């Protein structure tokens, strides 16, 4: 049975909405653990798992149920019931998100996608120290969302005019990712973190359009690595502060550098030319 191929823009909008809304709701509930990271981790893990047990006709029901649960959340007082409701909504949303990637071909998570998940998933948790003093949460959200949406839009005209070829240097996304992750891992450097975020989004946008099949396969990572890193950041941040997030970015940098140094090999993996990296 053939599966419906959902447009990449829908998968990107779904991820952005989940990162912002689930993280914000968890943060507002005042969790002592992870400060809203846990519902994002649950959503992300199910999205990466590819578990989509719904037929085309019923695939919208998990999302509808999740929306209903989230709408009912303000009616409950903060406490275990509200947290359980949020986690259930995140799980249903994650199952629907997994259904978006059905029939796309190569759905394995990539390093650029992992970096986007780590950056956006930790937004609410780390907004007080990821950019530096004087930044409000609204400004942090606007910056992250603007970069994620704006950079691909700026690159699109160059791609259409033929002045930017994503397939010319298949190692470029990983090199940008390595530099960006290293800057994000550096302590007490607000300007460098801003530059690092730009490089990470460039790596994601570049890798989303036409990387060569062999490199795309090499850059794949285990499906659960991103959620595990985000969960570790949430778990350790109450005691370690920004060092927890910096350590996670150091792991990403090591993975990217290892991928750059790995000998090239010929692989026969086929990749959809304009597929967005999975998170």
């Amino acid at each position: 049975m053939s599966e419906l191929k959902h447009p990449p823009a829908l998968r990107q909008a779904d991820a952005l909405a989940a990162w912002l809304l689930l993280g914000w709701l968890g943060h507002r509930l005042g969790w002592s653990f992870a400060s809203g990271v846990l519902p994002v981790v649950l959503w992300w893990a199910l999205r990466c798992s590819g578990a989509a047990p719904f037929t085309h006709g019923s695939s919208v029901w998990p999302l509808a149920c999740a929306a209903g649960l989230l709408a009912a959340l303000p009616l409950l007082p903060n406490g275990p019931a509200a947290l359980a409701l949020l986690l259930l909504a995140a799980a249903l949303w994650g199952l629907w998100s997994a259904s978006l990637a059905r029939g796309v071909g190569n759905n394995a998570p990539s390093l650029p996608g992992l970096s986007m998940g780590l950056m956006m998933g930790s937004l609410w948790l780390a907004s007080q120290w990821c950019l530096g003093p004087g930044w409000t949460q609204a400004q942090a959200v606007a910056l992250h969302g603007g970069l994620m949406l704006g950079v691909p839009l700026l690159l699109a005209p160059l791609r259409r005019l033929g002045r930017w070829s994503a397939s010319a240097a298949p190692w470029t996304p990983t090199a940008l990712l390595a530099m960006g992750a290293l800057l994000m891992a550096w302590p007490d450097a607000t300007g460098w973190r801003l530059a690092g975020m730009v490089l990470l989004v460039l790596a994601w946008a570049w890798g989303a359009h036409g990387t060569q099949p062999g490199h795309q396969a090499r850059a794949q990572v285990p499906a659960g690595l991103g959620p595990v890193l985000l969960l570790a950041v949430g778990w350790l941040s109450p005691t370690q502060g920004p060092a927890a997030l910096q350590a996670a970015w150091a792991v990403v940098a090591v993975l990217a550098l290892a991928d750059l140094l790995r000998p090239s090999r010929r692989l026969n993996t086929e990749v959809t030319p304009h597929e967005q990296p999975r998170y």
Side-chain angles (χ1 to χ4, degrees):
M1 172 184 263
S2 61
E3 299 288 356
L4 178 66
K5 291 186 178 182
H6 300 276
L10 178 58
R11 299 196 296 276
Q12 180 180 349
D14 166 62
L16 182 59
W19 285 325
L20 294 180
L21 182 58
L22 293 175
W24 176 73
L25 288 172
H27 185 77
R28 286 288 300 271
L29 287 176
W31 289 25
S32 59
F33 162 64
S35 300
V37 165
L38 193 55
V40 181
V41 168
L42 181 59
W43 167 85
W44 193 8
L46 288 170
R47 178 186 173 98
C48 289
S49 71
F54 306 102
T55 63
H56 170 57
S58 62
S59 61
V60 72
W61 288 108
L63 181 62
C65 293
L69 292 174
L70 293 177
L73 195 59
L75 303 177
L76 296 176
N78 291 359
L83 302 183
L85 196 67
L86 178 56
L87 289 178
L88 180 57
L92 290 169
W93 192 344
L95 289 174
W96 180 79
S97 298
S99 72
L100 295 182
R102 290 180 303 175
V104 174
N106 181 6
N107 297 324
S110 65
L111 274 174
L114 183 153
S115 70
M116 283 297 95
L118 183 60
M119 184 175 79
M120 295 298 294
S122 61
L123 170 60
W124 296 104
L125 175 65
S127 60
Q128 65 270 28
W129 29 256
C130 70
L131 294 175
W135 287 77
T136 66
Q137 286 189 339
Q139 290 171 330
V141 171
L143 176 63
H144 284 73
L147 285 174
M148 186 174 176
L149 296 175
V151 171
L153 290 176
L154 291 175
L155 292 179
L158 297 178
R159 193 168 58 252
R160 286 194 296 267
L161 293 173
R163 297 181 180 178
W164 172 67
S165 176
S167 60
W171 48 265
T172 303
T174 309
L176 292 171
L177 177 60
M179 291 187 292
L182 285 173
L183 290 177
M184 294 290 283
W186 205 264
D188 302 325
T190 301
W192 287 12
R193 291 197 190 100
L194 290 171
M197 286 195 300
V198 173
L199 291 175
L200 292 173
V201 178
L202 277 174
W204 173 78
W206 191 301
H209 300 284
T211 54
Q212 292 181 0
H215 180 80
Q216 182 74 4
R218 288 171 55 203
Q220 292 171 3
V221 295
L225 180 59
V228 166
L229 279 177
L230 183 57
L231 182 63
V233 170
W235 184 277
L236 296 174
S237 60
T239 57
Q240 301 300 319
L245 185 57
Q246 290 162 1
W249 283 119
V251 172
V252 175
V254 169
L255 291 173
L257 290 172
D259 186 68
L260 283 174
L261 298 174
R262 187 181 308 171
S264 300
R265 57 174 181 262
R266 300 178 63 88
L267 298 173
N268 296 322
T269 307
E270 295 183 359
V271 179
T272 304
H274 298 289
E275 177 189 350
Q276 293 279 355
R278 288 189 64 202
Y279 305 93

